[in-house]
Amino acid sequence: MIIRPVEDADWASFLPVFHGIVDDGESYAYPSGLTDDEVRALWDEGAPSVCVVAVDAATGELLGSAKTGPNRPGRGAHVATASFMVAPAARGRGVGRALGEWVLAWARDQGYAAMQFNAVVETNTAAVALWQDLGFVVVGTVPEAFDSRRHGRVGLHVMHRPL
C-alpha cells in the first residue's frame, strides 16, 4: 500500500466511496446529495490541511483516503484533527490503521501537540476500537448527536490523544 497526496485522477475512484459511505448513514454526518465539486472542497481543504489517498502498490486501486490539519483556527490550531474513509472492498486490510498512523506521524512532524476527533459515531465500533488501539481516549460523548440509519439517535464520541 502506498499513501500519497491526492491527485486529480483519484477523484473518479474516491467520489463513489464518499457518496456510498455518507449515504449508508452510519459514520458521517455529511449531507447526502453533495455535488462532486462540493465533496472535493469539503474533503480537500487545502493548506494547512492535507489530503492523501491509500492505493494498492501493485494495481493502483484506491483503497481509502484521509484528510488532516488543524482542528480549529487561531488559538486551537496546535491540535490536529483528521477524517478517514476506506473503500468497502478494502475493509479489513489494514487501510484505516495505515492512514491513521500516517496522519499521526504527519501531525507530529508538523509540530501539533495533540490530535482530536470531534465526532466518532459510538456505534462505529471498528473505528472506535482502532482509534483506541492507536492511543486515543474518549474524552466525552455527546448523547444522541448522530441520527444513525440503523440504530436511531446515538452518541458522538470526542476522542483525543497527545502527540
Side-chain angles (χ1 to χ4, degrees):
M1 170 182 342
I2 298 168
I3 298 175
R4 59 164 173 75
V6 66
E7 298 172 355
D8 283 340
D10 296 320
W11 291 101
S13 297
F14 179 68
L15 289 166
V17 171
F18 180 96
H19 290 298
I21 289 171
V22 170
D23 291 348
D24 183 53
E26 293 304 317
S27 54
Y28 277 93
Y30 296 137
S32 294
L34 294 173
T35 68
D36 291 350
D37 288 341
E38 290 171 326
V39 172
R40 283 182 76 149
L42 180 71
W43 199 253
D44 189 5
E45 299 172 347
S49 297
V50 297
C51 181
V52 297
V53 292
V55 297
D56 185 286
T59 66
E61 170 193 10
L62 185 128
L63 306 172
S65 181
K67 66 176 189 163
T68 186
N71 186 48
R72 303 293 305 153
R75 295 195 176 274
H78 61 286
V79 176
T81 192
S83 296
F84 307 85
M85 287 195 180
V86 174
R91 291 187 184 143
R93 295 169 48 187
V95 176
R97 177 175 298 276
L99 287 167
E101 290 171 348
W102 190 95
V103 301
L104 286 168
W106 179 87
R108 198 175 299 110
D109 290 347
Q110 298 301 307
Y112 287 94
M115 184 166 285
Q116 175 180 319
F117 299 152
N118 301 311
V120 181
V121 178
E122 69 182 347
T123 53
N124 188 352
T125 56
V128 172
L130 172 58
W131 305 140
Q132 288 175 325
D133 196 51
L134 290 177
F136 287 83
V137 296
V138 175
V139 295
T141 303
V142 183
E144 298 184 354
F146 184 79
D147 191 10
S148 161
R149 189 175 303 268
R150 292 179 190 83
H151 304 285
R153 293 183 180 158
V154 298
L156 285 176
H157 292 322
V158 176
M159 300 185 78
H160 177 271
R161 70 156 285 175
L163 298 173

